[in-house]
Amino acid sequence: GIDVMSLSITARSVSGRLTVAVQDNGSGMDKEALKSIRSLLRSEKNETTHTGLHTAQRRIQLMYGMSYGVKIESSKEGGTRVKVTMPVIKA
């Protein structure tokens, strides 16, 4: 059979927090790869090629605080989910 990649995007606003989640059904990451990316998101310096993830995390946290930012969940053969959380700002 042909494997079909699916992608879902959801957005929620709860208690003043906006969460946007992107989920795929791909091959996912093993525990070591996930640990490495999570470590990158916590670090102040980026010495990897994952510049987009690190930049997004740093900008969100510098603008809104450490309780906001990017979180990644993944498991081998279980797909990957990336969640971005920011405060709801009304103009």
Side-chain angles (χ1 to χ4, degrees):
I2 298 174
D3 290 332
V4 177
M5 173 70 91
S6 70
L7 187 68
S8 68
I9 302 171
T10 59
R12 289 197 176 110
S13 173
V14 177
S15 300
R17 294 172 75 92
L18 172 65
T19 300
V20 178
V22 179
Q23 169 106 33
D24 70 30
N25 67 339
S27 60
M29 290 180 257
D30 62 27
K31 289 180 182 180
E32 286 303 312
L34 183 58
K35 181 178 176 182
S36 174
I37 289 178
R38 285 178 172 167
S39 177
L40 167 67
L41 292 176
R42 288 189 303 270
S43 70
E44 289 188 28
K45 270 190 164 179
N46 179 17
E47 297 176 1
T48 73
T49 59
H50 299 288
T51 56
L53 286 173
H54 187 263
T55 299
Q57 177 79 326
R58 296 293 297 150
R59 286 184 181 195
I60 291 168
Q61 290 182 339
L62 286 171
M63 289 180 68
Y64 306 119
M66 297 301 285
S67 64
Y68 299 100
V70 179
K71 291 188 178 171
I72 299 178
E73 301 165 358
S74 186
S75 62
K76 197 74 174 149
E77 303 305 323
T80 300
R81 181 177 189 165
V82 177
K83 294 183 353 181
V84 179
T85 305
M86 295 181 286
V88 173
I89 299 173
K90 297 180 180 178

